[in-house]
């Protein structure tokens, strides 16, 4: 089964920036809306940001608005999450997902997922 592949996670300090990438082979999921969720142990997956397939519409959780930016390069079939002013509470495994309708904020609305990439923000 074709999967999305995340990369770019790591260990950073408070206030640092990090860029996550999500790609798929060939043109897989190219016409889909994409989004980022995150999850910490014992908690449900939380919506972070989403983008329509055209890139014209973007959506953000209140907790990341003004700090995170989602974008996509359809020629590269890649979606990015630029994270700035990182806080310890941003520490989580970040997942990329693809879906038909942009802006959905429930994990159950997305059928296709990546394996996740760990982001750790140290104080």
């Amino acid at each position: 089964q074709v999967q999305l592949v995340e990369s770019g996670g790591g260990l950073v300090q408070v206030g640092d920036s990090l860029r996550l990438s999500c790609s798929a082979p060939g043109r897989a999921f190219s016409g889909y809306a994409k989004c980022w969720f995150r999850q910490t142990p014992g908690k449900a997956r939380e919506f972070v940001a989403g983008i329509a397939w055209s890139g014209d519409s973007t959506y953000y959780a209140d907790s990341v608005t003004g700090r995170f930016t989602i974008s996509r390069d359809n020629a590269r079939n890649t979606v990015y999450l630029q994270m700035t002013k990182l806080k310890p509470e941003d520490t989580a495994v970040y997942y990329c997902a693809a879906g038909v309708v942009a802006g959905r904020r429930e994990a159950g609305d997305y059928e296709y997922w990546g394996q996740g990439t760990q982001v750790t923000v140290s104080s």
Side-chain angles (χ1 to χ4, degrees):
Q1 183 178 358
V2 177
Q3 279 193 318
L4 299 159
V5 178
E6 304 95 335
S7 62
L11 172 63
V12 296
Q13 302 294 315
V14 169
D16 282 353
S17 298
L18 201 61
R19 189 177 79 160
L20 306 182
S21 299
C22 170
S23 61
R27 303 306 299 167
F29 309 116
S30 59
Y32 283 68
K34 301 281 178 56
C35 65
W36 291 93
F37 279 74
R38 65 188 181 187
Q39 189 171 25
T40 54
K43 293 190 175 182
R45 216 162 274 195
E46 172 192 29
F47 174 82
V48 176
I51 188 167
W53 73 268
S54 64
D56 289 347
S57 298
T58 56
Y59 311 84
Y60 296 96
D62 290 344
S63 59
V64 306
T65 297
R67 299 189 299 121
F68 291 10
T69 302
I70 189 170
S71 62
R72 66 191 297 163
D73 181 343
N74 286 341
R76 298 178 182 272
N77 203 12
T78 300
V79 175
Y80 304 99
L81 185 67
Q82 179 68 49
M83 305 185 293
T84 66
K85 302 176 184 177
L86 283 162
K87 305 175 181 180
E89 51 264 44
D90 294 319
T91 296
V93 177
Y94 283 72
Y95 296 90
C96 178
V100 175
V101 180
R104 295 288 177 87
R105 296 175 183 247
E106 297 296 325
D109 290 329
Y110 295 89
E111 182 177 357
Y112 304 103
W113 292 86
Q115 295 297 313
T117 185
Q118 176 71 47
V119 172
T120 302
V121 184
S122 173
S123 56

